[in-house]
Amino acid sequence: MTKKLYIKTYGCQMNVYDSERMADVLAPLGYGLSDSPDDADMVILNTCHIREKAAEKVYSDLGRLKPHQQKKAEDGSRMIIAVAGCVAQAEGDEIMARAPQVDMVFGPQTYHRLPEMVSKAKRAVGEKILDTDFPAEDKFDHLPEERVRKGEVTSFLTIQEGCDKFCTFCVVPYTRGSEFSRPATTVLQEARRLVADGVREITLLGQNVNAYHGEGAEGREWGLARLCRELAEIDGLERIRYTTSHPRDVDDALIAAHGDLPKLMPYLHLPVQSGSDRILEAMNRKHTADDYRRIVDRLRTARPDLALTSDFIVGYPGESDQDFADTLKLVTDIGYAGAFFFKYSERPGTPAASLREQVDDAVKSERLSALQQLLESQQEAFNASVVGKTMPILLEKPGKHENQLVGRSPYLQPVHLDIPENRHASMIGTVIDCKISSLSGHSLFAVPIDDAESGTDSATRHNTARPNPSEPSSGQERISA
Ligand code: SAH
Ligand code: SF4
Ligand code: F3S
């Protein structure tokens, strides 16, 4: 690799997957990933348009890149700057106008065209490239098999993109385009390649992942449950997860899969947004709070230990105190293991942005903090409830501290173990039964069950292990807007 590539990823997991794939496309052109923009030959900002703050961040980051770009020019070379992702799709022309230092702007469905775009940008300094097409061809068919990111235990795998649901607050249908599913055969091929490279857990991704309806064997359509069943047949793949699912697309087959597919983890991110029927209807979610309660009941009947997380929006236009109280009531009824919660943010071009009854920011802040308190206490209770239990932990990587490994519980909680460094290589990527010994803040500590049985399970042993500060405090890292 002779050239340095820096990619900054904003937004959802689908952008994380896309950033990795952009690195794969650029590797044959000589670009190697670097973890800082200093001296980079190419910088890609892979952006998110979901809330105003996320979108504005891009412009301030572009400003921050200017001195790096100038220094590179003074040294007689060039830093190509690209804006990709959902802001690029939504505001391509505006980026070009507001940030003349940007060379390339391209949307989420065009990454396979990167080699062409790069060679054009290189040929003519000053020529701007803007590609916000929704091409007829499937970008996934044109991405290289060879992956840059290797040696990881877990991986994302995008199986579905776009959205046709048009919730009134949301930009995704406009930035990602209409819903489509990758053929099951190509998904399975990619999964097998990942497992051959050492991946043990795959998280299937889609904006509405459970609306998946890809072409399967014999030209028949497969739903998500069928796809999970086929993936479960892959030897060496230990765990399957999927995100983000929509309540309307939870079908009988998927509920059954949660009941009888051991590799499908008992953890589900199922956003509800609001507990008020009036607001759910205004949002065009097309289900009621009770519909959601019933779906959760059925899922929990199939898999009693299922941990649930959700997204919530507070202060949607017209949300009254009673509507918000209905949200708190739903949260209390369900009992979440974690959640993301946001103040409603007006997005240009979406139907909700033009509604007159916008909620005052001070009211939004109050509601956000009340909801946060309730969800935090539920998350703490959930984490505390696993202490003393034995759980299979997938060991992922060394912790920040010497002789420490970090893994994940079936419920996506990070778990810290005291394991001597010389055993790390043989243990990373394995699933071992561990006894959860303590909870400190949001961090869980555990002892392998063999050690626990042989009596080395002592408090002092665990006190030597410190949580890794760069790890999310739990699997369900909280974000507030
Ligand atoms: N497809 C998923 C959500 C994708 S967007 C679903 O249907 O649930 C991720 C989350 O961002 C949403 O669940 C919602 O809670 C939040 N979000 C989307 N648009 C928003 C807006 N305009 N203001 C605040 N939060 C928003
Ligand atoms: Fe956005 Fe709604 Fe589609 Fe989710 S289902 S991506 S919230 S429009
Ligand atoms: Fe953001 Fe686009 Fe994902 S708007 S949340 S990066 S689909």
Side-chain angles (χ1 to χ4, degrees), residues 75-93:
D75 295 345
S77 54
R78 186 178 167 205
M79 175 187 283
I80 293 178
I81 296 187
V83 179
C86 293
V87 181
Q89 187 66 42
E91 300 179 7
D93 294 325

Side-chain angles (χ1 to χ4, degrees), residues 17 21 138 140-142 145 147 157-159 180-194 212 214-217 222 227 231 234:
Y17 176 87
R21 303 319 314 271
D138 177 347
F140 297 101
D141 286 347
H142 302 271
E145 283 188 12
R147 304 289 282 257
L157 202 180
T158 297
I159 62 168
F180 74 93
S181 297
R182 295 178 65 187
T185 36
T186 61
V187 170
L188 288 166
Q189 269 165 18
E190 190 170 329
R192 285 192 196 100
R193 279 198 300 271
L194 289 170
Y212 179 80
E215 189 182 320
W222 286 7
L227 183 66
L231 284 164
I234 299 177

Side-chain angles (χ1 to χ4, degrees), residues 135-156:
E137 73 275 10
D138 177 347
K139 74 173 172 191
F140 297 101
D141 286 347
H142 302 271
L143 294 172
E145 283 188 12
E146 190 58 26
R147 304 289 282 257
V148 168
R149 185 178 179 264
K150 283 215 169 88
E152 306 282 340
V153 171
T154 63
S155 183
F156 291 135

Side-chain angles (χ1 to χ4, degrees), residues 328-387:
L328 294 179
K329 169 86 171 62
L330 181 73
V331 172
T332 306
D333 290 348
I334 300 290
Y336 287 99
F340 297 88
F341 30 85
F342 312 101
K343 283 187 202 174
Y344 167 71
S345 166
E346 273 172 62
R347 307 308 294 128
T350 60
S354 56
L355 297 174
R356 260 178 291 135
E357 307 166 273
Q358 299 293 333
V359 174
D360 203 62
D361 191 59
V363 176
K364 287 184 191 169
S365 299
E366 252 172 55
R367 291 182 185 163
L368 192 73
S369 81
L371 182 62
Q372 175 169 4
Q373 253 181 31
L374 177 59
L375 286 162
E376 270 179 7
S377 67
Q378 291 191 342
Q379 185 174 22
E380 277 160 27
F382 178 73
N383 285 338
S385 75
V386 301
V387 176

Side-chain angles (χ1 to χ4, degrees), residues 31-346:
Y31 287 94
L33 274 177
S34 150
D35 48 19
S36 105
D38 300 357
D39 195 36
D41 298 285
M42 190 186 302
V43 171
I44 302 178
L45 304 182
N46 190 10
T47 61
C48 172
H49 201 241
I50 204 82
R51 282 168 291 275
E52 193 181 352
K53 269 190 192 156
E56 278 305 312
K57 230 193 223 162
V58 176
Y59 293 101
S60 54
D61 282 349
L62 281 171
R64 241 172 271 139
L65 282 173
K66 262 189 199 151
H68 295 283
Q69 198 178 23
Q70 270 159 9
K71 169 127 199 335
K72 194 88 180 158
E74 281 159 20
D75 295 345
S77 54
R78 186 178 167 205
M79 175 187 283
I80 293 178
I81 296 187
V83 179
C86 293
V87 181
Q89 187 66 42
E91 300 179 7
D93 294 325
E94 196 185 331
I95 296 168
M96 291 294 196
R98 269 178 77 176
Q101 81 209 95
V102 173
D103 301 284
M104 307 195 289
V105 176
F106 45 88
Q109 307 305 343
T110 64
Y111 302 148
H112 56 296
R113 295 177 175 175
L114 258 173
E116 238 174 276
M117 292 192 254
V118 172
S119 73
K120 240 197 221 162
K122 277 189 169 164
R123 268 201 309 273
V125 180
E127 188 186 342
K128 305 284 174 189
I129 288 149
L130 176 67
D131 188 351
T132 48
D133 273 7
F134 288 111
E137 73 275 10
D138 177 347
K139 74 173 172 191
F140 297 101
D141 286 347
H142 302 271
L143 294 172
E145 283 188 12
E146 190 58 26
R147 304 289 282 257
V148 168
R149 185 178 179 264
K150 283 215 169 88
E152 306 282 340
V153 171
T154 63
S155 183
F156 291 135
L157 202 180
T158 297
I159 62 168
Q160 181 273 337
E161 276 231 33
C163 182
D164 294 336
K165 290 204 164 58
F166 292 94
C167 300
T168 51
F169 51 81
C170 183
V171 293
V172 170
Y174 314 98
T175 62
R176 292 273 168 171
S178 50
E179 193 176 309
F180 74 93
S181 297
R182 295 178 65 187
T185 36
T186 61
V187 170
L188 288 166
Q189 269 165 18
E190 190 170 329
R192 285 192 196 100
R193 279 198 300 271
L194 289 170
V195 174
D197 279 346
V199 168
R200 297 290 166 257
E201 174 181 293
I202 291 180
T203 302
L204 305 173
L205 299 181
Q207 264 92 18
N208 283 277
V209 72
N210 57 335
Y212 179 80
H213 57 276
E215 189 182 320
E218 302 114 36
R220 284 212 202 103
E221 204 167 84
W222 286 7
L224 180 62
R226 177 70 197 271
L227 183 66
C228 288
R229 285 185 192 280
E230 298 293 328
L231 284 164
E233 296 294 317
I234 299 177
D235 278 344
L237 180 61
E238 303 282 353
R239 293 181 165 187
I240 302 166
R241 303 180 185 275
Y242 61 86
T243 197
T244 293
S245 42
H246 194 292
R248 272 169 64 201
D249 296 313
V250 176
D251 60 11
D252 294 349
L254 194 57
I255 293 174
H258 275 284
D260 62 24
L261 209 55
K263 287 187 182 180
L264 189 57
M265 288 295 101
Y267 171 91
L268 182 58
H269 184 59
L270 191 64
V272 66
Q273 315 296 353
S274 167
S276 152
D277 288 346
R278 218 174 59 83
I279 296 297
L280 286 169
E281 187 173 357
M283 286 175 164
N284 193 33
R285 293 291 289 183
K286 297 210 168 84
H287 65 79
T288 64
D290 278 347
D291 291 336
Y292 184 84
R293 286 183 177 90
R294 271 189 292 272
I295 291 164
V296 169
D297 280 349
R298 292 185 59 211
L299 282 159
R300 283 182 166 156
T301 303
R303 181 78 207 221
D305 67 332
L306 189 77
L308 278 158
T309 61
S310 173
D311 295 341
F312 295 92
I313 294 178
V314 298
Y316 181 84
E319 186 188 66
S320 65
D321 287 343
Q322 182 57 51
D323 293 320
F324 179 62
D326 290 346
T327 297
L328 294 179
K329 169 86 171 62
L330 181 73
V331 172
T332 306
D333 290 348
I334 300 290
Y336 287 99
F340 297 88
F341 30 85
F342 312 101
K343 283 187 202 174
Y344 167 71
S345 166
E346 273 172 62

